[in-house]
């Protein structure tokens, strides 16, 4: 449908249209959404705190830090709705929390490949973290050349009168893997043109070169450690 100015009017899912037409429903849904996002944000903070403690422990003990940086994000409402539609699921809070594992995401950037698995083991030793799913794109890279370790974990968030089990996706990468993935994402999602097959092949070749560099840098680091 077009407005008087001739521009396309945005089309909202039926459940949102109903809430807009009824102010009471709209306020209720907005409040519920804020509550849910607060719980996901709290889950992220708990994982980030665990990683920060690991960093401080290594610093005090004089050990090398296996974590370079930690980044986090919460999916936008538009992204959540789009993913539910793609999965042919209803746009509802229940469908969102039951079926989407990546509403809350944390990316852990490590210096070396071995650090990725070290951080993973340390996190999963925590009694309040349960591993739900693991996809190892380092041992088995995607066709595009993408490499990363993906974990979906569940951790409890305690409120004043309730406890909520929150699912969080954790991506663990080396600095080199993150560099490639960031540029690859830009090429695929920030351009309106289809990426030619020749460019796809070149991206995969670059990913393989980066993987070799990761291995070589780790071998050099191990060799230097033996000299100490």
């Amino acid at each position: 449908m077009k407005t008087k100015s001739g521009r396309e009017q945005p089309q909202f899912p039926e459940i949102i249209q109903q809430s807009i037409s009824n102010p009471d429903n709209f306020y209720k849904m907005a409040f519920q959404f804020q509550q849910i996002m607060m719980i996901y944000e709290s889950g992220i903070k708990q994982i980030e705190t665990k990683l920060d403690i690991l960093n401080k422990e290594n610093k005090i003990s004089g050990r090398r830090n296996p974590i370079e940086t930690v980044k986090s994000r919460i999916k936008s409402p538009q992204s959540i709705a789009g993913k539910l539609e793609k999965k042919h699921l209803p746009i509802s809070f229940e469908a969102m929390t039951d079926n989407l594992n990546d509403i809350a995401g944390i990316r852990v950037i490590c210096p070396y490949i071995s650090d990725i698995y070290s951080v993973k083991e340390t996190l999963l030793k925590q009694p309040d973290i349960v591993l739900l799913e693991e996809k190892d794109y380092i041992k088995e890279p995607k066709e595009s050349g993408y490499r990363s370790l993906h974990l979906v974990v569940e951790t409890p968030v305690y409120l004043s009168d309730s406890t909520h089990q929150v699912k969080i996706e954790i991506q663990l990468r080396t600095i080199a893997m993150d560099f490639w993935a960031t540029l690859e994402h830009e090429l695929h999602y920030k351009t309106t043109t289809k990426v030619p097959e020749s460019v796809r092949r070149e991206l995969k070749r670059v990913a393989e070169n980066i993987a070799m560099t990761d291995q070589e840098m780790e071998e050099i680091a191990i060799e230097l450690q033996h000299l100490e």
Side-chain angles (χ1 to χ4, degrees):
M1 181 182 296
K2 290 187 178 182
T3 62
K4 292 182 179 180
S5 64
R7 290 180 296 181
E8 289 290 337
Q9 184 175 4
Q11 297 298 305
F12 299 101
E14 184 179 353
I15 188 173
I16 297 177
Q17 289 177 346
Q18 291 173 357
S19 67
I20 290 174
S21 64
N22 187 325
D24 289 339
N25 285 347
F26 177 77
Y27 295 138
K28 182 179 179 181
M29 288 184 65
F31 178 69
Q32 287 177 322
F33 186 77
Q34 281 185 319
Q35 279 188 315
I36 292 171
M37 291 299 102
M38 182 272 291
I39 291 170
Y40 277 109
E41 288 170 0
S42 299
I44 282 179
K45 286 182 180 179
Q46 290 189 177
I47 300 295
E48 287 180 326
T49 298
K50 292 176 184 296
L51 294 170
D52 185 52
I53 291 172
L54 174 62
N55 279 345
K56 291 177 179 177
E57 179 189 4
N58 285 315
K59 184 177 181 180
I60 291 173
S61 62
R63 294 194 298 267
R64 185 181 60 80
N65 198 332
I67 299 173
E68 183 70 20
T69 56
V70 176
K71 305 173 184 177
S72 63
R73 62 103 183 98
I74 295 284
K75 274 189 177 297
S76 67
Q78 295 90 340
S79 180
I80 292 171
K83 196 154 190 179
L84 288 172
E85 288 181 341
K86 189 176 181 180
K87 290 175 174 284
H88 305 291
L89 294 168
I91 299 178
S92 68
F93 296 138
E94 184 178 5
M96 177 180 83
T97 55
D98 288 349
N99 297 283
L100 300 186
N101 294 333
D102 60 346
I103 294 175
I106 295 177
R107 184 173 300 155
V108 183
I109 313 300
C110 302
Y112 303 110
I113 295 174
S114 60
D115 293 331
I116 290 173
Y117 296 101
S118 174
V119 172
K120 168 198 161 183
E121 290 178 8
T122 301
L123 276 178
L124 296 184
K125 285 179 183 177
Q126 303 280 341
D128 58 347
I129 294 183
V130 177
L131 178 66
L132 300 180
E133 184 180 302
E134 178 176 350
K135 292 182 180 178
D136 194 334
Y137 296 117
I138 298 173
K139 294 178 180 177
E140 296 183 13
K142 288 186 177 183
E143 181 62 27
S144 64
Y146 174 86
R147 287 168 168 81
S148 184
L149 177 64
H150 289 201
L151 308 175
V152 177
V153 302
E154 193 172 65
T155 188
V157 170
Y158 299 99
L159 302 184
S160 59
D161 58 355
S162 59
T163 302
H164 300 265
Q165 297 294 332
V166 179
K167 289 182 286 188
I168 298 173
E169 183 186 61
I170 304 175
Q171 297 179 358
L172 298 108
R173 305 173 179 172
T174 63
I175 300 167
M177 291 174 193
D178 189 58
F179 166 75
W180 183 91
T182 300
L183 294 183
E184 193 263 355
H185 182 273
E186 288 289 322
L187 289 172
H188 280 279
Y189 296 100
K190 303 298 183 181
T191 180
T192 57
T193 59
K194 184 179 179 180
V195 178
E197 185 59 33
S198 60
V199 174
R200 292 178 185 272
R201 289 195 299 269
E202 188 68 10
L203 279 169
K204 188 172 183 179
R205 184 190 66 79
V206 172
E208 290 169 353
N209 288 342
I210 287 176
M212 289 178 60
T213 302
D214 258 337
Q215 293 175 352
E216 290 170 354
M217 291 300 291
E218 183 149 11
E219 289 170 3
I220 292 171
I222 292 171
E223 184 178 345
L224 290 175
Q225 287 175 4
H226 289 161
L227 295 176
E228 293 180 356

